[in-house]
Amino acid sequence: MHFTLGSDLVALREHALKTFRDAAPSAEHSLYDDLWAAAPVPDDDSLLRAALIAEAAGASCGPFHPGERIALAWIAARHPGLRPVLESAPHVLAAVCQGTDGALEIRRGAGTFAVDGTFRVLAPDTATAGHALVLAAHRRRRFLVSVPLAGRGVRVTSSRTVQPDRRLLTVTLDQVGVPEHQALSWDAERALVSLGQVLAAAELLGVMQWTLDACVDRARSREQFGRPIGAFQSVAHTCADMLCAVELSRSMVYAAAARHDGSGAPEAHTAAVTRILLRHESLPVLTEAVQLFGADGLRWSGDLHRQLRRCQVLRSLWGTPASTTDDVIEYLRGQVAAAAAE
Amino acid sequence: MNVTETPDQARFRHELRTWLDAHVRPEWREPGFEEQASVALRFAVRRKWHRTLATGGWIGVEWPVEYGGRGLTPVHGLILSEELARARALPIADWVGVELVAPTLLRCGSHEQRERYLPGIMDGSQVWCQGFSEPAAGSDLAAVTTVATRTADGYRISGHKRWTSWAQFADFALVLARTGDPAERHRTLSCFIVPLGSPGVTIEPIPMLYGDAEECDLHLDDVEVPADALVGEENKGWRTVMTSLTLARGSATLIRIAALKRTFDGLTRDVFAPGVPAAGLPDDSVLRSLALLHARLEALGHLARRKMGEMEDDGLPGQIASTEKLLWARLSSDIARFGMETQDLDGIVEPDPTGVSTGWRREMYRAMANEIEGGTNAIQRTTIARHVLKLPC
């Protein structure tokens, strides 16, 4: 056992951060595409590498959404049958908003499936997403289905989100026909959501670290009453609390990502705990930062509000807070029952 | 980063677990077992357990072989802490000796001091306390006024130490004293080994909020010590003390987290008592708070492991260690307050006629002490801001 990052992993995080800061789209793809090129094996560091890339994206302050991209690459690697479908058209991933609760109903026809229901999905604002990959259910079987986001039987309501580069689409499907090859059996929806929870947490960690760094720079350089504001105990203690939040969160994210189930997905309970922790620790860091920056923190031209918005979005993804809490409570009840049985 | 145990580490865990299963007493696992005992009885039971552990070879596993240790790594120390917690073993009596004094002597003491004192620390025959704080030198430890004056044979020490835990049962104190101009603050401090049976030593237990008296006042009136009682160099005591505190933090929080885990398990047992149907559970907001406490506790455990990784890399804990004490103290307080909130009027009943608090109220009072001892929350924040974040405060 060793609990610190090796030099190769630190270098990966630095390389990813530089790539995101340089904002070269092709280079960004290279980060994701290599991740699952080889099938994960137990004890490898594939998930940790994915988390470090997501962290770097969060710390870059750029318009990158690695969690969804990495999850799509993971699906393609796990289910080669989906690869041609995913490569035929750009997809967005509905599980980001669906969690494990919102599977659509599908019915089998002659060579096709008919899909009904409503789901929500985040889509880039700059381009029209052609398809969404949604979780669906037929009797007791689960499927991943590629559905079109335009055409007959498809109704889409688009809403702006707090992140200017992303829109929230509410999609209603009314007996939309999907060829059978676009609906593939899928038994890993929980693993997918767990993966997404840890990647979103890692990106939040990057956002928190960026915010802490910005606050410390500000506390050292901004002078009021003839001295740096970091000389005032209230400001210094605020920064100290932020460091505590960042390091506690980093410890949880790295621990959750350091071990996977053999497929590259984290253990479900650890992922739920990680989501709960980061959801709780992240937002106060951002809101305290706005206070520390004063009115400068409210400027549209600054980066702080962009990170605040990113934080708000990331906290909302991959399942409802209630469902995540339920998972943890069930775990704790199980622990008590097991101890009583002993 | 690799969270998988090596075969050697797995063997160590298995050997330890088997040994603990045979030696940990079942009654220790009963809620409130230690609360029901007086301070003296609690110390006696813990001392016996210390000796049992030493007989099994589980004290000082990281110490060098030449001083009776097993020469193992910080990760083995981590496994030891985890397994002691899992077995719900009691703390040992001489925590200060094992976790604070011994690592300090190994790093800063002389060969003679190590040969003389480490065997007694290991087998529990000699118990230590820490004489750093004073009535007017708490958070500002460099304001120590206890004075050590050179004599023909060594030093004469006079002063008043406070919050010396378990001093009434201890054989030695590690004392921080002034050996030069007080205006020079931390540059004129030295560290001494003081036998507590020496003439001029008076110890007074201090009853605390929770009814116990583990803490003591230690009065030193012209106490003579030999020259070889000095640990490290004269006027370099600050460095010795900082090393001591840093090394103690290396393993201390693992032990504290293990204890906190036991407290949290008690909380979940209260909330999810077997047989309680889902409809009988607290409302959602309470369950959300409980899930969050669990998440913070899990994360704190992982933070402690990262710190152990840093110690393996560099020999000393890095910046993570500075956050650990503050995070632990706040979490212990939040868990105890949550426990208090689960109680109704029963929570204000004081069943012990001597005023010794029990149950969640005791946990809450103890947690308040956690946020003060070893550096208040405010001091921890200032230390982080100044020394880690390099802010000009």
Side-chain angles (χ1 to χ4, degrees):
Chain A
M1 289 192 290
H2 193 72
F3 304 102
T4 53
L5 295 181
S7 56
D8 59 326
L9 293 173
V10 173
L12 168 73
R13 187 176 57 189
E14 292 306 310
H15 169 67
L17 184 58
K18 185 172 186 311
T19 303
F20 286 122
R21 283 190 175 151
D22 291 348
S26 57
E28 181 202 349
H29 279 292
S30 72
L31 293 172
Y32 310 138
D33 292 345
D34 290 348
L35 271 175
W36 316 111
V41 292
D43 298 338
D44 74 12
D45 60 4
S46 55
L47 177 59
L48 186 55
R49 296 169 77 85
L52 292 170
I53 291 169
E55 180 191 347
S60 73
C61 202
F64 304 104
H65 310 297
E68 185 172 347
R69 296 275 184 83
I70 293 172
L72 278 166
W74 180 78
I75 291 168
R78 189 182 165 93
H79 212 323
L82 267 175
R83 198 185 296 260
V85 175
L86 293 175
E87 287 174 353
S88 67
H91 278 71
V92 287
L93 185 58
V96 174
C97 300
Q98 278 183 299
T100 54
D101 303 328
L104 300 186
E105 283 296 314
I106 58 175
R107 282 174 287 113
R108 190 183 288 275
T112 63
F113 283 105
V115 188
D116 285 301
T118 298
F119 67 93
R120 295 198 292 179
V121 66
L122 282 168
D125 190 53
T126 49
T128 306
H131 290 73
L133 203 58
V134 300
L135 291 168
H138 176 59
R139 294 181 182 146
R140 290 190 174 177
R141 287 183 63 195
R142 296 288 190 165
F143 294 83
L144 271 178
V145 184
S146 169
V147 299
L149 291 175
R152 190 170 176 184
V154 180
R155 195 169 71 248
V156 178
T157 306
S158 175
S159 307
R160 292 178 58 176
T161 72
V162 294
Q163 267 186 305
D165 64 321
R166 288 175 119 180
R167 299 185 78 83
L168 182 65
L169 308 182
T170 303
V171 183
T172 301
L173 306 178
D174 182 10
Q175 298 201 31
V176 172
V178 173
E180 273 193 352
H181 74 276
Q182 288 185 205
L184 293 175
S185 181
W186 178 256
D187 60 359
E189 64 185 54
R190 181 58 198 257
L192 172 61
V193 170
S194 295
L195 174 66
Q197 287 176 334
V198 168
L199 294 174
E203 194 177 337
L204 271 171
L205 170 63
V207 171
M208 293 165 73
Q209 182 67 59
W210 178 93
T211 307
L212 170 64
D213 292 343
C215 286
V216 170
D217 283 347
R218 173 88 173 180
R220 286 179 187 150
S221 59
R222 166 84 170 167
E223 292 197 2
Q224 292 286 276
F225 304 102
R227 51 184 175 151
I229 59 172
F232 295 99
Q233 197 175 60
S234 61
V235 172
H237 284 191
T238 297
C239 292
D241 284 339
M242 285 182 185
L243 179 73
C244 288
V246 169
E247 291 303 339
L248 190 69
S249 301
R250 188 185 309 285
S251 302
M252 192 69 233
V253 169
Y254 288 2
R259 182 172 278 163
H260 63 76
D261 62 1
S263 79
E267 193 268 322
H269 168 67
T270 308
V273 165
T274 306
R275 186 189 183 212
I276 287 173
L277 185 83
L278 271 288
R279 186 177 158 79
H280 177 261
E281 298 290 332
S282 57
L283 191 57
V285 169
L286 275 294
T287 54
E288 284 296 324
V290 172
Q291 180 71 23
L292 196 145
F293 271 76
D296 281 340
L298 304 172
R299 280 177 192 268
W300 185 260
S301 61
D303 285 333
L304 185 54
H305 78 92
R306 267 184 270 280
Q307 293 290 62
L308 171 63
R309 290 158 182 272
R310 186 179 202 152
C311 173
Q312 288 174 288
V313 170
L314 287 167
R315 291 174 75 250
S316 306
L317 305 182
W318 300 102
T320 63
S323 67
T324 312
T325 299
D326 288 348
D327 290 342
V328 173
I329 292 300
E330 269 315 297
Y331 170 86
L332 292 174
R333 290 189 76 181
Q335 294 286 100
V336 172
E342 262 185 35
Chain B
M1 190 167 184
N2 183 352
V3 294
T4 306
E5 286 177 355
T6 63
D8 164 63
Q9 290 162 349
R11 261 196 311 277
F12 178 81
R13 188 186 291 278
H14 177 73
E15 180 196 356
L16 172 58
R17 187 173 290 189
T18 305
W19 188 90
L20 287 170
D21 284 346
H23 290 84
V24 169
R25 305 276 295 271
E27 63 266 28
W28 295 354
R29 296 172 183 156
E30 297 297 320
F33 170 76
E34 280 210 306
E35 291 173 6
Q36 294 158 16
S38 65
V39 176
L41 180 57
R42 196 151 69 232
F43 176 81
V45 173
R46 289 182 181 191
R47 188 168 201 176
K48 191 174 173 194
W49 174 232
H50 182 146
R51 287 175 167 166
T52 305
L53 278 169
T55 305
W58 304 111
I59 298 287
V61 297
E62 297 170 52
W63 298 4
V65 174
E66 65 176 305
Y67 295 114
R70 293 166 67 170
L72 299 176
T73 68
V75 172
H76 291 88
L78 168 73
I79 293 170
L80 181 65
S81 298
E82 288 178 347
E83 288 301 314
L84 288 168
R86 179 188 166 278
R88 304 192 70 190
L90 294 179
I92 57 172
D94 190 20
W95 174 85
V96 173
V98 173
E99 304 293 345
L100 192 139
V101 178
T104 303
L105 294 180
L106 286 167
R107 190 168 279 256
C108 308
S110 66
H111 177 67
E112 289 71 26
Q113 286 170 336
R114 294 173 199 155
E115 289 219 310
R116 181 170 170 193
Y117 296 112
L118 292 182
I121 293 174
M122 176 167 279
D123 67 16
S125 60
Q126 293 176 335
V127 174
W128 290 68
C129 63
Q130 171 192 300
F132 293 172
S133 296
E134 296 179 2
S139 296
D140 182 11
L141 199 55
V144 156
T145 58
T146 293
V147 174
T149 313
R150 269 183 181 272
T151 63
D153 302 323
Y155 295 88
R156 182 180 300 118
I157 303 176
S158 290
H160 179 183
K161 294 293 176 183
R162 179 159 279 178
W163 313 128
T164 48
S165 307
W166 303 94
Q168 69 269 52
F169 307 111
D171 303 288
F172 296 95
L174 192 65
V175 168
L176 186 66
R178 178 79 53 200
T179 42
D181 182 359
E184 292 290 311
R185 292 191 36 94
H186 61 275
R187 285 182 288 275
T188 53
L189 291 171
S190 302
C191 210
F192 296 93
I193 295 167
V194 177
L196 295 181
S198 307
V201 173
T202 313
I203 296 166
E204 290 178 282
I206 309 170
M208 301 294 282
L209 170 72
Y210 30 89
D212 274 350
E214 294 174 1
E215 311 299 328
C216 297
D217 273 325
L218 171 62
H219 298 276
L220 305 168
D221 297 316
D222 292 335
V223 177
E224 304 276 353
V225 296
D228 64 4
L230 177 69
V231 180
E233 297 174 49
E234 191 174 288
N235 292 331
K236 302 288 186 193
W238 185 255
R239 196 169 61 191
T240 306
V241 166
M242 288 302 115
T243 301
S244 171
L245 291 175
T246 304
L247 289 169
R249 273 184 202 136
S251 53
T253 315
L254 292 173
I255 297 165
R256 289 164 163 172
I257 292 170
L260 194 53
K261 176 83 170 59
R262 282 197 295 274
T263 306
F264 184 76
D265 288 346
L267 187 59
T268 54
R269 274 199 307 276
D270 285 358
V271 174
F272 303 123
V276 171
L281 292 178
D283 64 37
D284 285 350
S285 66
V286 175
L287 294 180
R288 272 200 302 276
S289 299
L290 190 68
L292 178 59
L293 291 174
H294 171 65
R296 288 168 63 193
L297 184 55
E298 289 280 305
L300 189 58
H302 294 308
L303 185 137
R305 292 183 192 100
R306 278 179 67 210
K307 184 193 67 181
M308 297 309 287
E310 288 188 347
M311 286 186 75
E312 247 192 339
D313 292 343
D314 305 323
L316 287 171
Q319 75 169 41
I320 304 169
S322 64
T323 64
E324 191 180 47
K325 200 269 174 178
L326 182 56
L327 287 164
W328 164 78
R330 288 199 300 219
L331 179 57
S332 69
S333 180
D334 289 346
I335 287 175
R337 280 205 297 263
F338 186 101
M340 275 297 290
E341 292 300 316
T342 61
Q343 302 199 310
D344 49 23
L345 276 175
D346 290 342
I348 62 169
V349 174
E350 194 87 274
D352 188 315
T354 63
V356 175
S357 299
T358 55
W360 286 113
R361 194 175 52 264
R362 180 188 177 84
E363 292 292 343
M364 193 180 82
Y365 293 160
R366 259 317 299 172
M368 290 162 73
N370 294 341
E371 294 191 282
I372 296 168
E373 62 193 19
T376 64
N377 287 0
I379 283 293
Q380 299 294 332
R381 287 188 178 98
T382 298
T383 303
I384 291 168
R386 186 179 297 160
H387 298 295
V388 179
L389 299 176
K390 311 293 184 196
L391 293 178
C393 57

